Amino acid sequence: MTPEDEEKAIEATKAPLMDHLIELRGRLIKAIAAFALAAVVCFFFAKQIYNVLTWPYVWVAGPENSRFIYTGLLEYFIVQLKLAMFGAAFISFPVIASQIYMFVAPGLYRNERQAFLPYLVATPIFFLLGSMVVYFVVWPMLARFSLSMQQMGGPGQATIELLPKVEDYLSLMMKLVLAFGIAFQLPVILTLLGRVGIITSDQLKSKRRYFIVIAFVIAAILTPPDVLSQMSLALPLVALYEGSVWSVRWVEKRAAAERAAQAAAAASKPAE
């Protein structure tokens, strides 16, 4: 399809402002309905979901040593509401993202739609990878480090025992999942910037040593103060950066091939 044909196709999809507002309202209603339905389902299974989230701690401490407390009358109920909202954001994201894409897609060229869709799919995948690192790697390390700080009572010293609050546990879990999920968006963001020509693979390679330092600084801020936890975030970030260099280089080669094909097609087109 030539640029002129694409321009005509976009012009054909243009509609008055009121039609766009009506469509936007419909998309928003569907997205909100998906979120609300997911929140209701998650709240119904909130206790089971919370038990799943506490598995890393129970695995490290042992079922006989795993006690969680709440000190407010409505604290556990509020925790279940937060958990329902957090779970609904995960479950309803594909519906919300698809509604956003279907709203903006008619105003994009065909090649722009093809370029945008892979990043829309990759975003939740990399977020899920970051969440899995938290659940299976970081959280057991955090639990083991926290439990090692306990003190057994004896002559002249008090007993210091870890009794996690249900709200504190969920809040820290949510913060770490969000932090790792965002950090794991690095390849998506860098590849998108390379796709639009803001950065190049050569620039990324030249800044590699600086990013390694930045990765360890980020890990030191976001993880517990032990080497294993910090390495669990820093090393994946460095690996993701290296993958981003390869991805941007692949995007550059593909863009160069497309430009060469367009130039060859323009050269072979008979003059009018």
Side-chain angles (χ1 to χ4, degrees), residues 134-149:
V134 172
Y135 188 79
F136 291 106
V137 180
V138 177
W139 203 258
M141 292 181 181
L142 174 61
R144 193 172 290 110
F145 175 80
S146 300
L147 289 169
S148 68
M149 302 295 292

Side-chain angles (χ1 to χ4, degrees), residues 202-224:
D202 292 334
Q203 291 175 335
L204 293 179
K205 287 189 290 186
S206 65
K207 305 297 182 182
R208 180 184 287 117
R209 66 184 70 179
Y210 302 109
F211 181 80
I212 293 175
V213 176
I214 294 173
F216 278 91
V217 171
I218 294 174
I221 295 173
L222 296 180
T223 60

Side-chain angles (χ1 to χ4, degrees), residues 60-74:
V60 173
E64 67 281 358
N65 299 319
S66 301
R67 285 185 61 198
F68 290 80
I69 64 172
Y70 60 94
T71 57
L73 294 177
L74 296 177

Side-chain angles (χ1 to χ4, degrees), residues 1-10 109-110 262 269:
M1 182 180 292
T2 63
E4 292 81 5
D5 294 335
E6 290 185 349
E7 193 73 37
K8 292 178 181 178
I10 292 179
Y109 291 110
R110 184 169 60 90
Q262 291 176 358
K269 186 177 180 179

Side-chain angles (χ1 to χ4, degrees), residues 74-150:
L74 296 177
E75 180 179 340
Y76 192 34
F77 176 74
I78 299 300
V79 166
Q80 293 182 48
L81 288 178
K82 290 182 179 180
L83 186 58
M85 297 295 180
F86 192 61
F90 270 88
I91 297 175
S92 63
F93 179 81
V95 177
I96 296 174
S98 64
Q99 292 301 316
I100 294 174
Y101 177 75
M102 286 188 288
F103 180 73
V104 302
L108 300 176
Y109 291 110
R110 184 169 60 90
N111 61 335
E112 292 174 337
R113 291 195 296 268
Q114 293 174 348
F116 180 70
L117 189 57
Y119 300 105
L120 189 64
V121 175
T123 297
I125 293 176
F126 279 93
F127 195 97
L128 181 61
L129 287 176
S131 304
M132 293 176 64
V133 170
V134 172
Y135 188 79
F136 291 106
V137 180
V138 177
W139 203 258
M141 292 181 181
L142 174 61
R144 193 172 290 110
F145 175 80
S146 300
L147 289 169
S148 68
M149 302 295 292
Q150 295 183 114

